[in-house]
Amino acid sequence: DLFPSHDIGGKTLGRELSAIGVAIKNGEDEKIDILLKKDKSLLYKDAGFLPKGGYLTPLAVAIFHGKTQIVEKLLDIDNDLLYTSAFKSINKDDITAIGTALFYGKDEIFENLLKRNPELLCKTTETRPSGKTRTPLGFAIINNKKEKLQSKFNRLKFKKDGK
């Protein structure tokens, strides 16, 4: 059964995870490797479903559960995952990995994504069904996370300057 019923703690993420979603949630690296060896396209498929509609890719499931090493592992397999939709909401918004990390407050993962590509701060992180887009700053403002983004940016800036 590809999508067994699986309770993930009553969080807003929903109740259904695919086999790879369960392996990611549980931090089962060996199972993840086996599943991806069998079918690498699982990286781009639905791994979790939201209760009222929408889906999460394996990368978004890893971000949601704070699985930093698994996020890195998935990006090592395909770094282009940084730029594709990781999370499609009930409103049909497409949100990238950096937006997902920002939305769920996964600070370490957010910072690691920026280390992979600092230009992500300037790239689209959310695409609305209307075609309108938002950068991480716009996304942060809409989701009341502006201060959090500013503090992360300042910390990264100081590290770059060597302070």
Side-chain angles (χ1 to χ4, degrees):
D1 188 8
L2 189 57
F3 288 94
S5 180
H6 188 76
D7 189 351
I8 59 167
K11 304 231 181 198
T12 58
L13 182 61
R15 294 181 54 86
E16 300 292 328
L17 291 173
S18 68
I20 195 163
V22 172
I24 289 168
K25 176 193 174 284
N26 294 334
E28 299 171 314
D29 283 333
E30 193 173 316
K31 284 185 183 177
I32 296 166
D33 291 341
I34 290 168
L35 290 166
L36 289 176
K37 186 175 183 180
K38 187 174 182 178
D39 184 3
K40 185 180 172 186
S41 74
L42 289 174
L43 283 174
Y44 317 99
K45 295 184 178 176
D46 304 345
F49 294 97
L50 301 168
K52 295 180 181 177
Y55 72 88
L56 300 156
T57 64
L59 183 60
V61 172
I63 292 168
F64 178 83
H65 289 288
K67 303 293 185 180
T68 306
Q69 291 178 337
I70 294 174
V71 168
E72 293 298 319
K73 173 188 216 151
L74 297 176
L75 291 172
D76 286 344
I77 294 169
D78 186 353
N79 197 58
D80 286 344
L81 292 171
L82 276 176
Y83 311 104
T84 60
S85 177
F87 169 29
K88 185 179 282 285
S89 74
I90 185 173
N91 301 325
K92 306 294 184 233
D93 301 339
D94 284 313
I95 302 170
T96 62
I98 196 129
T100 304
L102 182 61
F103 184 78
Y104 287 121
K106 303 303 180 181
D107 297 344
E108 181 181 1
I109 292 171
F110 181 90
E111 290 177 16
N112 288 346
L113 295 174
L114 284 180
K115 287 176 188 172
R116 277 184 175 263
N117 184 356
E119 291 178 4
L120 289 172
L121 281 175
C122 304
K123 301 226 182 255
T124 298
T125 194
E126 176 186 29
T127 304
R128 309 275 306 173
S130 65
K132 292 184 179 179
T133 62
R134 292 191 181 110
T135 63
L137 180 58
F139 186 77
I141 290 168
I142 295 297
N143 291 290
N144 298 317
K145 297 184 186 293
K146 182 180 172 187
E147 292 77 21
K148 189 172 261 196
L149 181 62
Q150 182 65 44
S151 72
K152 289 179 194 350
F153 180 74
N154 287 339
R155 227 178 18 243
L156 289 169
K157 182 178 171 187
F158 287 126
K159 286 180 184 176
K160 183 180 175 188
D161 294 341
K163 295 180 183 177

